[in-house]
mmCIF file of all heavy atoms in Angstrom:
data_model
loop_
_atom_site.group_PDB
_atom_site.id
_atom_site.type_symbol
_atom_site.label_atom_id
_atom_site.label_comp_id
_atom_site.label_asym_id
_atom_site.label_seq_id
_atom_site.Cartn_x
_atom_site.Cartn_y
_atom_site.Cartn_z
ATOM 1 N N TRP A 10 204.771 92.543 54.605
ATOM 2 C CA TRP A 10 204.126 93.541 53.755
ATOM 3 C C TRP A 10 202.739 93.881 54.286
ATOM 4 O O TRP A 10 201.924 92.991 54.489
ATOM 5 C CB TRP A 10 203.927 93.008 52.341
ATOM 6 C CG TRP A 10 205.182 92.971 51.553
ATOM 7 C CD1 TRP A 10 206.406 93.432 51.933
ATOM 8 C CD2 TRP A 10 205.348 92.420 50.266
ATOM 9 N NE1 TRP A 10 207.325 93.193 50.956
ATOM 10 C CE2 TRP A 10 206.694 92.577 49.914
ATOM 11 C CE3 TRP A 10 204.475 91.819 49.358
ATOM 12 C CZ2 TRP A 10 207.199 92.155 48.713
ATOM 13 C CZ3 TRP A 10 204.977 91.399 48.164
ATOM 14 C CH2 TRP A 10 206.328 91.566 47.837
ATOM 15 N N ALA A 19 201.745 98.785 43.224
ATOM 16 C CA ALA A 19 201.282 98.586 41.859
ATOM 17 C C ALA A 19 200.916 99.919 41.245
ATOM 18 O O ALA A 19 201.278 100.225 40.114
ATOM 19 C CB ALA A 19 200.079 97.663 41.858
ATOM 20 N N SER A 81 236.319 79.024 33.145
ATOM 21 C CA SER A 81 237.078 79.446 34.322
ATOM 22 C C SER A 81 236.199 80.293 35.252
ATOM 23 O O SER A 81 235.246 80.921 34.795
ATOM 24 C CB SER A 81 238.282 80.251 33.806
ATOM 25 O OG SER A 81 239.016 80.768 34.837
ATOM 26 N N ALA A 252 211.099 89.859 40.497
ATOM 27 C CA ALA A 252 210.533 91.069 39.865
ATOM 28 C C ALA A 252 209.032 91.183 40.160
ATOM 29 O O ALA A 252 208.527 92.256 40.481
ATOM 30 C CB ALA A 252 210.783 91.030 38.355
ATOM 31 N N PHE A 501 177.844 100.155 14.242
ATOM 32 C CA PHE A 501 177.642 99.149 13.197
ATOM 33 C C PHE A 501 176.187 98.840 12.890
ATOM 34 O O PHE A 501 175.898 98.252 11.838
ATOM 35 C CB PHE A 501 178.430 97.882 13.540
ATOM 36 C CG PHE A 501 179.921 98.142 13.628
ATOM 37 C CD1 PHE A 501 180.599 98.067 14.838
ATOM 38 C CD2 PHE A 501 180.635 98.512 12.490
ATOM 39 C CE1 PHE A 501 181.956 98.328 14.918
ATOM 40 C CE2 PHE A 501 181.994 98.772 12.557
ATOM 41 C CZ PHE A 501 182.661 98.687 13.781
#
Side-chain angles (χ1 to χ4, degrees):
W10 285 355
S81 176
F501 299 112

